[in-house]
Amino acid sequence: MPANNLKKLPDLIEGRLRNIEYLTNDLNIIPCLEPARIRPECKHVFYVHPIKFNVAVAGIHRDRYVEAVKAELMPTELRESEGINVGCGYAKPLYLQPLYKQRIAFGNKGCPWSCDKYLGNIDYSKGICPVTENMYEDVLITHELMRPGMTEGDLDDVVSAFKKVWENRVHYERYAAAGMGTSEMVE
């Protein structure tokens, strides 16, 4: 970030935090969502806004819920090519990435796992970090629809999309069972 932009940083962070507070107040009333909480005496600047999704409460899978939320929102002006920035999970757990699964970090001999300097035997099997895997596969929703520049009207649109999907979730699941996407639904 150029030096002159650093002067803007405190205001940008405060704008982001105001937007997070605004969203959190409204998203907290949707029973299947749990926006991130900040511990006392801590400050979070929210690169993304993490939300925990409870499939047992919602009655539909998180991916279906997010797909429906995205269908309700318009692309951000000047960032239309990015699509709607609401995602499922964050990043695939590192130990499930090809580098670890195939053990091919350096050269063609599989170093460090099979070179003479390494004597261990590490297991990178799926299931070694069940909480991490559950967050990635079923629980975590992230979005950046709280960044500075978002107006209260924009934030209201985000909340409205999440609420509309909550209120109509049974319909989204019915369409999914019929093999249809949210774009094929008729209001």
Side-chain angles (χ1 to χ4, degrees), residues 26-187:
D26 286 336
L27 294 177
N28 263 333
I29 66 170
I30 301 173
C32 66
L33 302 179
E34 183 184 338
R37 292 179 299 223
I38 303 171
R39 289 184 293 211
E41 308 301 320
C42 294
K43 186 173 185 176
H44 194 307
V45 294
F46 291 98
Y47 167 70
V48 295
H49 185 210
I51 302 169
K52 288 169 79 175
F53 180 82
N54 187 325
V55 68
V57 172
I60 64 173
H61 193 269
R62 177 220 40 205
D63 296 1
R64 174 61 58 183
Y65 192 94
V66 168
E67 178 186 343
V69 167
K70 290 169 77 169
E72 293 296 325
L73 293 168
M74 297 293 293
T76 303
E77 189 175 337
L78 302 178
R79 297 175 82 175
E80 294 89 355
S81 65
E82 296 177 17
I84 308 301
N85 291 317
V86 179
C88 299
Y90 183 69
K92 190 174 193 174
L94 290 177
Y95 60 92
L96 296 177
Q97 300 285 345
L99 170 83
Y100 295 94
K101 298 303 285 178
Q102 298 167 14
R103 299 179 184 213
I104 52 169
F106 300 105
N108 59 2
K109 296 182 180 173
C111 192
W113 296 279
S114 61
C115 63
D116 59 354
K117 305 263 187 249
Y118 180 70
L119 304 175
N121 185 17
I122 296 177
D123 178 13
Y124 294 116
S125 300
K126 186 168 175 52
I128 62 171
C129 295
V131 173
T132 299
E133 292 169 23
N134 187 41
M135 292 294 287
Y136 174 70
E137 295 169 356
D138 300 314
V139 175
L140 184 63
I141 296 173
T142 59
H143 72 87
E144 63 165 47
L145 300 173
M146 74 312 177
R147 63 186 174 279
M150 299 286 284
T151 65
E152 281 192 11
D154 296 331
L155 298 173
D156 288 338
D157 289 344
V158 172
V159 170
S160 291
F162 276 93
K163 283 182 180 177
K164 182 176 180 180
V165 175
W166 164 253
E167 292 163 358
N168 294 285
R169 66 197 179 280
V170 68
H171 303 295
Y172 293 109
E173 193 59 25
R174 192 175 316 138
Y175 277 86
M180 297 182 202
T182 54
S183 62
E184 296 159 307
M185 286 184 64
V186 179
E187 292 191 34

